[in-house]
Amino acid sequence: MIASTSSFSLNLSIDHQSTITEHFAAAHLPSNISISDALHAYKNGQFQLLSDNVVNFGIDSPPMWLAITLRNPTKMAINKQLIIANSWLDKLEISVHHQQGDMRHFSRGDHFAFDQRHNNQRFFTVDFAFQPGISYLLIRVESVDPMVLPIYLAEQSDFNSQLLFDSYSYGFLYGAIFCLLAYNFMLAVGLRSITYFYYSLFLLSFLILNISYSGHGFQWLWPHSPQWQQWANPLLMVIFNICGLLFALRFLEIRRLNLSIYRCVIALCICLLLTVLGALILDQQGISLLAAFGFMLLFSLIMLFLGGIAVAASNANGKLFLLASISSMLGTATTGLAVWGIIPYTNLTFRAGEVGMVIDITLLALALARKFRTIESEKQHAQYMAKIDPLTGLNNRRAFYELMPAIWQSTTNKRNLTLALIDLDYFKQINDTYGHVCGDQVLNKVGSILMQNLREEDIAVRWGGEEFLIVYHHATLSQAEILASELAKQIASYPFAKGEQRFTITASIGLAEGCSECHTLGQLIDKADNKLYQAKHEGRNQIRC
């Protein structure tokens, strides 16, 4: 619709809490046109009235002129602040023309150093005192970055309240991400984990990207580097996407699940990075932005795809990863719809992408913690199983040598410590006669009999082959002999069978009690071994002390 300066004007005496972009008219005008000629074109109806509360003219769009008629029906000046709530526009020429001929002009944009804005705000703002009567506000926008224009005309106090809310919310966001980043980086170093390292890079890249596109980077970190400000967003977007995909590939073990998909994702990352770097070298910012935004969309779809692969492969963390990816995509989609004017543009809808990412990284942190717990549990189980004889369930020699030093050192009176070495008599004949499977069954049952006869403080060990060892803690030689005799009786009385054949087995036992002459555990084991040899040499099926 053609804009008419006489048929419509915005009343400045009314507070406008939402954007006023839809009240502007816009036009593409020749690049060399002057401000006065642009105003003349607007008054002559050469501008088209906008209809969206936020407009987006796209990436690398030609310069646009926007104009609006403002009416002050009072007899005093009305102070308002013009806010263009976007931090990445290259050049802004803003001028106000009063019907009596007064004109004020301001230049803004991130092509200028940050301190040239004469305020410390990440958005582009100008303070005006609108005189009674009619004024014309003209804005010329030039930007290679997405020309997104949420425009407000508000009281200074209202805008300060919004800035305070933004400060607290961004402070919370950055603080939470930094704490999560520091924690996971320490885990990466401490555990030497590539997965935690990639997740730390993912968090760091998101933190720097958000600081950049929200305008805080130009405000805080590189206020005197407008050239870097032009390239920061596309480069950081690509780096963020690459870090996210590297983490996803590693975390979901995609290389193991599907090597072809893994290689395709890596190749895509390399190609996109080279494209953006090539655009940087050739000074083609528009190409870099198109590649970066295209990659951002592709990134969300790939993350969903990788999560789906993990779920299909029954990866324990696939569902949580997929849920995190969905939350991130929904947040990003909400922000995109708000920017394009499909849904109402508010501070909440614009920052929905940040909310989605916070949910995303939180869920990923939970998934990472869950995976860490699973790995630790499996590691502890493996360590436990490494100390257990798989056939009998008894401790093996490794466990014995880990447990005994502490017991040996704590036993001041070595006479309260007795070892029993047990050897099954003629066990080789059982293997030869009934087979090794039957022999294993015999060993398993003997192990069970040993466990049933142990006191709480005793330790049973499969010493090797058909040999077992029992540590009788807090037992004298005579007490241990009684316990060993009962054990030998139970072994000898157990009715073993192979099919219809029945057989029994006996055990020879050597007992050795700690004494002042035993300075080491090895000496006590040697004494028990000598007594076992004596028991076997003297006819087997007996105990020697």
Side-chain angles (χ1 to χ4, degrees):
M1 182 174 65
I2 301 298
S4 172
T5 59
S6 60
S7 61
F8 177 80
S9 61
L10 191 69
N11 191 340
L12 293 173
S13 64
I14 300 174
D15 289 335
H16 298 276
Q17 300 295 329
S18 60
T19 62
I20 62 168
T21 313
E22 59 189 357
H23 301 300
F24 276 83
H28 286 293
L29 298 177
S31 58
N32 59 350
I33 193 172
S34 65
I35 295 176
S36 58
D37 290 338
L39 177 59
H40 182 72
Y42 170 62
K43 290 181 177 181
N44 286 340
Q46 298 179 27
F47 281 55
Q48 294 286 334
L49 189 64
L50 300 175
S51 58
D52 298 320
N53 64 339
V54 176
V55 292
N56 187 340
F57 294 107
I59 296 173
D60 203 12
S61 172
M64 288 294 300
W65 282 88
L66 285 82
I68 189 172
T69 304
L70 304 172
R71 178 170 54 90
N72 178 2
T74 69
K75 296 181 179 181
M76 299 180 62
I78 296 178
N79 295 315
K80 293 285 186 179
Q81 186 170 57
L82 175 71
I83 305 122
I84 301 176
N86 184 328
S87 61
W88 60 72
L89 298 173
D90 295 344
K91 293 179 181 179
L92 289 165
E93 301 295 334
I94 304 169
S95 58
V96 171
H97 304 257
H98 192 263
Q99 61 183 1
Q100 295 181 354
D102 297 333
M103 192 271 284
R104 297 183 64 192
H105 180 264
F106 302 88
S107 294
R108 295 287 187 268
D110 56 17
H111 258 242
F112 307 101
F114 190 83
D115 55 9
Q116 293 185 25
R117 298 186 184 185
H118 307 293
N119 57 40
N120 193 32
Q121 297 175 3
R122 58 194 180 93
F123 293 145
F124 306 106
T125 63
V126 178
D127 294 324
F128 289 110
F130 292 97
Q131 300 302 318
I134 300 297
S135 298
Y136 302 102
L137 171 62
L138 272 77
I139 304 174
R140 182 183 185 272
V141 188
E142 181 179 345
S143 184
V144 179
D145 293 281
M147 197 181 289
V148 183
L149 298 172
I151 305 174
Y152 296 85
L153 199 59
E155 299 287 345
Q156 178 67 48
S157 58
D158 294 338
F159 185 58
N160 287 339
S161 298
Q162 183 61 48
L163 286 177
L164 184 62
F165 172 79
D166 285 350
S167 298
Y168 281 124
S169 61
Y170 276 110
F172 173 79
L173 174 67
Y174 296 154
I177 294 176
F178 181 79
C179 291
L180 198 59
L181 168 62
Y183 174 72
N184 282 277
F185 181 73
M186 287 188 291
L187 286 177
V189 174
L191 300 174
R192 297 180 181 179
S193 170
I194 297 296
T195 304
Y196 276 101
F197 178 71
Y198 282 156
Y199 183 62
S200 300
L201 286 181
F202 178 57
L203 290 174
L204 179 61
S205 61
F206 171 71
L207 180 63
I208 298 176
L209 173 61
N210 188 276
I211 289 174
S212 175
Y213 82 72
S214 64
H216 293 113
F218 201 27
Q219 182 180 10
W220 298 335
L221 303 179
W222 51 83
H224 305 295
S225 302
Q227 184 65 25
W228 166 245
Q229 175 66 10
Q230 305 303 308
W231 287 94
N233 286 343
L235 284 174
L236 292 173
M237 286 169 67
V238 170
I239 292 172
F240 163 71
N241 291 334
I242 289 175
C243 291
L245 289 175
L246 289 176
F247 166 72
L249 292 173
R250 179 78 182 189
F251 178 71
L252 298 175
E253 301 175 343
I254 298 299
R255 185 171 187 173
R256 178 180 61 82
L257 296 177
N258 194 311
L259 183 59
S260 298
I261 292 176
Y262 174 86
R263 288 174 175 171
C264 287
V265 173
I266 293 295
L268 178 65
C269 291
I270 294 173
C271 290
L272 264 296
L273 182 60
L274 292 176
T275 299
V276 174
L277 290 177
L280 174 61
I281 295 171
L282 298 174
D283 197 25
Q284 295 294 320
Q285 188 183 353
I287 295 176
S288 70
L289 286 164
L290 289 171
F293 277 95
F295 193 19
M296 183 67 80
L297 174 61
L298 196 58
F299 166 77
S300 298
L301 298 176
I302 293 175
M303 293 290 269
L304 289 175
F305 177 64
L306 295 179
I309 291 176
V311 170
S314 300
N315 186 308
N317 296 297
K319 292 182 179 178
L320 205 54
F321 181 90
L322 190 60
L323 183 61
S325 300
I326 291 173
S327 67
S328 173
M329 190 178 72
L330 289 176
T332 304
T334 302
T335 297
L337 292 173
V339 167
W340 284 97
I342 298 174
I343 62 176
Y345 182 96
T346 65
N347 194 50
L348 181 60
T349 56
F350 176 68
R351 297 184 62 182
E354 296 172 1
V355 175
M357 276 304 303
V358 169
I359 297 173
D360 182 3
I361 61 178
T362 302
L363 291 175
L364 290 179
L366 292 175
L368 203 55
R370 177 182 175 181
K371 184 175 183 178
F372 174 73
R373 288 195 301 270
T374 301
I375 292 173
E376 284 299 301
S377 177
E378 292 174 350
K379 182 179 178 181
Q380 291 175 4
H381 181 70
Q383 290 175 343
Y384 171 77
M385 293 305 296
K387 302 173 186 178
I388 298 298
D389 174 58
L391 180 61
T392 63
L394 301 178
N395 295 299
N396 58 19
R397 283 201 182 199
R398 175 181 175 180
F400 173 79
Y401 282 115
E402 288 186 8
L403 293 170
M404 281 308 296
I407 296 175
W408 181 261
Q409 294 297 328
S410 65
T411 308
T412 54
N413 184 0
K414 304 303 183 188
R415 291 191 180 277
N416 287 333
L417 188 67
T418 303
L419 295 187
L421 267 176
I422 305 164
D423 184 83
L424 301 182
D425 299 327
Y426 304 109
F427 183 74
K428 184 177 183 301
Q429 294 181 9
I430 293 175
N431 279 334
D432 293 342
T433 304
Y434 302 106
H436 287 278
V437 173
C438 182
D440 288 345
Q441 292 173 350
V442 170
L443 292 174
N444 179 269
K445 184 58 186 179
V446 171
S448 299
I449 294 173
L450 261 65
M451 290 297 295
Q452 293 168 6
N453 283 269
L454 287 184
R455 303 172 305 165
E456 185 176 351
E457 62 267 39
D458 297 338
I459 298 173
V461 181
R462 185 182 180 192
W463 198 241
E466 67 271 20
E467 282 192 339
F468 300 86
L469 182 147
I470 296 179
V471 180
Y472 291 115
H473 198 197
H474 302 304
T476 62
L477 185 61
S478 58
Q479 292 171 332
E481 187 175 6
I482 296 172
L483 295 170
S485 297
E486 178 62 27
L487 176 63
K489 186 186 301 183
Q490 290 191 26
I491 293 174
S493 63
Y494 187 82
F496 291 99
K498 172 66 183 297
E500 298 296 328
Q501 295 177 294
R502 300 287 186 267
F503 64 92
T504 58
I505 191 169
T506 59
S508 300
I509 302 175
L511 290 174
E513 182 184 35
C515 62
S516 58
E517 297 175 359
C518 295
H519 299 293
T520 65
L521 179 62
Q523 291 175 333
L524 183 59
I525 293 173
D526 287 341
K527 286 180 63 177
D529 191 51
N530 289 334
K531 291 302 175 181
L532 173 62
Y533 177 78
Q534 183 182 345
K536 293 170 65 176
H537 184 69
E538 294 179 0
R540 294 181 170 84
N541 189 23
Q542 55 188 291
I543 299 173
R544 287 292 176 264
C545 306

